[in-house]
Amino acid sequence: MWVLRLLDMAVEELRIDGRLNQPVQAAFGQEAVAIGTAAALRPGDLMTTGIIHLQHAQQIACALPLGPAIAALIEPEFGPDGEAEAPFVASVRGLSAFSSALQQSPLLAVGHAYGKQLVDDGRVTVCAMETRDVKSADFAEAAHIAVSWQLPVVFVVENASQDAYAAECHGIPVLSVDGNDVEAVRDSVAEAVRRAGAGEGPVLVQARTQRSNGVASMDPLVIERQRLIGAGINAGHLYELERRARHLVAEAEAQAKAMLAEEQPEPIREPEVWPAAS
């Protein structure tokens, strides 16, 4: 979650400087949904999403280089819509190399899920969406197909608008979870994946969350830090995790700049002490 938060901060700076080639909204306060969902994936499962920070969460979960991901937000040729091959969207543990526009469609997830049903390997397709996507005609059609064919597909809704769903949505059973609790998100998505993979049909996970502009009581990083300290984790260890996250994102930024300039990245020089952001 720290890597994703810092990566979002880097992307926000690029947005302010007018360097992004597409509209990207920072997801401060929603890291638990992205990381929890990515953590619930099993080898062979696939996640498709048009949400940038969820794509980044996949790359973090797979320990893939983040520099190309930053570069793709500046120059289109580094992304899946460009002519050059983008190694960071290779099909590794659930990463798909489709364009962002196509990944936004739940019909793509239904197509993948149908293929997995034919193979019958117990694997599941996870489609991560925003609340507005659930109200689309594409989702209504995808839900109808998924329910009719009992497809192994899980829809994860990053619900920042606090819309309430009933026990079912278009005939799909709904699991509601606190989207600020990364462990709860992971467990709920894992349960939905288990059900879908066992032949019980599609499941929708509603992760209730909200974007924040600063550290607050509902901030998922604050919640998880308090939980870990309460469990006996040393604060110094958590500081070291944050320091590593800062170094990783700083390296990614340097690599992105070098890729765009077609140069070798400069080595990262760390200060002796990182100021603790937490």
Side-chain angles (χ1 to χ4, degrees):
M1 285 196 294
W2 261 119
V3 172
L4 192 57
R5 171 68 58 85
L6 294 165
L7 191 57
D8 253 354
M9 292 171 65
V11 172
E12 181 67 3
E13 289 184 5
L14 291 172
R15 185 192 66 79
I16 293 172
D17 291 341
R19 301 187 61 193
L20 297 182
N21 63 50
Q22 57 185 291
V24 178
Q25 185 172 10
F28 302 134
Q30 295 183 293
E31 293 83 4
V33 179
I35 296 299
T37 299
L41 290 177
R42 308 163 303 175
D45 291 334
L46 178 82
M47 182 162 76
T48 176
T49 180
I51 305 173
I52 294 295
H53 69 269
L54 272 150
Q55 294 174 8
H56 290 167
Q58 289 177 282
Q59 293 151 17
I60 293 168
C62 296
L64 295 175
L66 297 176
I70 297 175
L73 295 175
I74 303 173
E75 294 292 344
E77 62 262 27
F78 290 100
D81 294 322
E83 296 179 357
E85 181 180 359
F88 69 93
V89 292
S91 182
V92 179
R93 192 174 178 252
L95 290 176
S96 60
F98 292 95
S99 70
S100 295
L102 185 57
Q103 290 187 67
Q104 289 174 358
S105 173
L107 292 170
L108 172 65
V110 167
H112 274 299
Y114 178 65
K116 291 182 179 297
Q117 186 180 64
L118 292 178
V119 174
D120 193 23
D121 60 359
R123 299 309 176 196
V124 171
T125 299
V126 175
C127 177
M129 308 179 296
E130 295 181 296
T131 309
R132 63 187 179 191
D133 298 323
V134 181
K135 303 174 182 178
S136 69
D138 268 6
F139 179 72
E141 184 63 26
H144 174 71
I145 296 171
V147 171
S148 298
W149 294 349
Q150 288 293 282
L151 295 180
V153 59
V154 172
F155 298 101
V156 177
V157 181
E158 191 177 69
N159 190 348
S161 65
Q162 304 300 304
D163 286 355
Y165 300 136
E168 291 188 351
C169 179
H170 292 291
I172 300 176
V174 174
L175 299 178
S176 292
V177 63
D178 181 0
N180 297 316
D181 186 331
V182 66
E183 294 183 21
V185 173
R186 179 202 60 198
D187 293 345
S188 293
V189 175
E191 171 61 15
V193 166
R194 183 199 65 76
R195 289 191 197 179
E200 298 180 26
V203 182
L204 186 146
V205 177
Q206 175 190 204
R208 301 181 307 277
T209 183
Q210 63 186 63
R211 290 186 174 91
S212 62
N213 295 320
V215 176
S217 59
M218 75 289 293
D219 190 303
L221 273 76
V222 174
I223 292 172
E224 192 59 25
R225 177 182 174 83
Q226 292 172 344
R227 172 186 288 154
L228 291 171
I229 290 178
I233 302 298
N234 184 275
H237 178 68
L238 297 179
Y239 172 80
E240 175 62 17
L241 290 179
E242 182 186 333
R243 187 194 67 78
R244 293 182 186 180
R246 287 174 179 265
H247 183 85
L248 181 64
V249 174
E251 280 188 328
E253 290 186 88
Q255 183 187 13
K257 292 177 182 178
M259 290 177 64
L260 295 169
E262 298 183 352
E263 300 174 348
Q264 289 296 319
E266 297 182 3
I268 300 299
R269 297 180 181 179
E270 291 192 41
E272 292 185 6
V273 178
W274 286 107
S278 55

